[in-house]
Amino acid sequence: DGGITQSPKYLFRKEGQNVTLSCEQNLNHDAMYWYRQDPGQGLRLIYYSQIVNDFQKGDIAEGYSVSREKKESFPLTVTSAQKNPTAFYLCASKTGGNEQFFGPGTRLTVL
Amino acid sequence: KQEVTQIPAALSVPEGENLVLNCSFTDSAIYNLQWFRQDPGKGLTSLLLIQSSQREQTSGRLNASLDKSSGRSTLYIAASQPGDSATYLCAVRRGRDDKIIFGKGTRLHILP
């Protein structure tokens, strides 16, 4: 059953902690993306990767980091430098025909 | 800079009615346009993808049109059902490897 999985579904972080959100896809897609969704603000692009071992900053990359060591995996680390990390985080991948698909999301809350 | 607008932000419609959701974009030089559905607390589900060379796409009760010259797309939902209640987002891609730009969505509520 092909798709994009994100874990955990809910994540709680204390002030000053780094946390890593997992994103895995078995769709054999080259391009993967991380978005942040806040109420009333729409989706904002954090980082994206067109191919393994390569990634670029999106519109709001400050306080985040990513890696792309495997085609299937694109983890996002929310660092302590991110001042307002509470949000809904969505991972996506793109087909060769440029159709974008999304995972179920991770809701991060800072305690 | 490409901007995508969806008006209205929210819409309530009685069950059974046909309805149209609107999406406008400021730069007509797009590669494709995609419509998504998002249920509360969930990820986005792809509904329809329209390439720049196409005028419309259909899937079941959904029909999406694209008019690049006027910078507009519409999503037509026939015979609406309570299960259609969700937020609908449109997104445009400028080039093949470009990021997509999202509208803020229209929150649709179908009244039983």
Side-chain angles (χ1 to χ4, degrees), chain B residues 4-79:
Chain B
V4 180
T5 303
Q6 294 184 249
I7 296 174
L11 180 66
S12 292
V13 175
E15 179 179 2
E17 286 199 3
N18 303 327
L19 61 99
V20 173
L21 304 180
N22 297 300
C23 173
S24 61
F25 46 94
T26 54
D27 185 350
S28 61
I30 66 170
Y31 186 81
N32 63 29
L33 183 146
Q34 195 167 352
W35 281 93
F36 297 89
R37 168 188 172 134
Q38 186 177 28
D39 293 286
K42 306 290 186 183
L44 278 66
T45 299
S46 178
L47 297 174
L48 289 164
L49 174 72
I50 309 178
Q51 303 292 353
S52 63
S53 59
Q54 297 174 319
R55 296 281 294 182
E56 65 177 347
Q57 282 284 352
T58 298
S59 177
R61 294 183 294 111
L62 305 179
N63 176 277
S65 69
L66 175 63
D67 184 345
K68 285 198 307 178
S69 61
S70 66
R72 296 177 65 178
S73 176
T74 61
L75 179 66
Y76 174 84
I77 303 177

Side-chain angles (χ1 to χ4, degrees), chain A residues 1-53:
Chain A
D1 200 14
I4 303 172
T5 58
Q6 291 187 241
S7 62
K9 185 174 182 179
Y10 298 99
L11 186 57
F12 299 91
R13 192 193 93 169
K14 294 181 180 179
E15 296 276 356
Q17 275 186 337
N18 292 352
V19 292
T20 297
L21 283 60
S22 170
C23 177
E24 303 279 331
Q25 54 100 359
N26 60 4
L27 302 168
N28 201 34
H29 293 168
D30 285 316
M32 297 186 73
Y33 306 80
W34 274 106
Y35 294 88
R36 169 180 172 143
Q37 187 176 37
D38 296 277
Q41 294 226 35
L43 276 78
R44 293 184 288 170
L45 182 64
I46 304 172
Y47 267 98
Y48 63 103
S49 169
Q50 301 280 25
I51 199 166
V52 174
N53 292 321

